[in-house]
Amino acid sequence: MTTRTAAQRRAEARTVHQDAFALCPTNRLLARLGEKWVAVLLKELADGPRRYGELARSIAGASQKMLTESLRRLERDGLLTRTLVPGVPARVDYALTPLGLSLLPVLDEIGRWAQENTAQMDLARSVYDASSGATSAPGAAG
């Protein structure tokens, strides 16, 4: 029987935890929604199909590369479809799938919660920072 050190046991436990965390459906969804531009894209597509150019104009802060990568990941996840429309010039339309549409109420609820509670979080951060001597910018991750 092989004897393991405490450090080896901790490393093994950490690996088991990380593997379980990576497989957790909630963590996987929150990771996708937390990616930059994803929630905005889903909201933009809530009213119906949009052309790539329309999305790019409405999400002006996103680079072409980031917008394209986000759209591809959402398509891969089955949340939207990409349809090539023949013509001169050809165009590409993006639309939410039924799965993507089913996520909109969740996003709406998160948005409602944020509207109702962000001020309380900001106040709590200020109180915490003042009591701990920490200084951080509003909204900064900590």
Side-chain angles (χ1 to χ4, degrees), residues 77-89:
D77 288 342
L79 298 174
L80 62 81
T81 59
R82 177 184 186 273
T83 305
L84 181 61
V85 180
V88 179

Side-chain angles (χ1 to χ4, degrees), residues 53-82:
E54 293 173 311
L55 291 170
R57 281 189 297 280
S58 65
I59 308 172
S63 69
Q64 181 178 352
K65 178 184 178 203
M66 285 305 299
L67 186 59
T68 299
E69 288 176 2
S70 296
L71 288 165
R72 284 183 182 152
R73 284 191 296 271
L74 291 170
E75 181 182 12
R76 181 175 181 250
D77 288 342
L79 298 174
L80 62 81
T81 59
R82 177 184 186 273

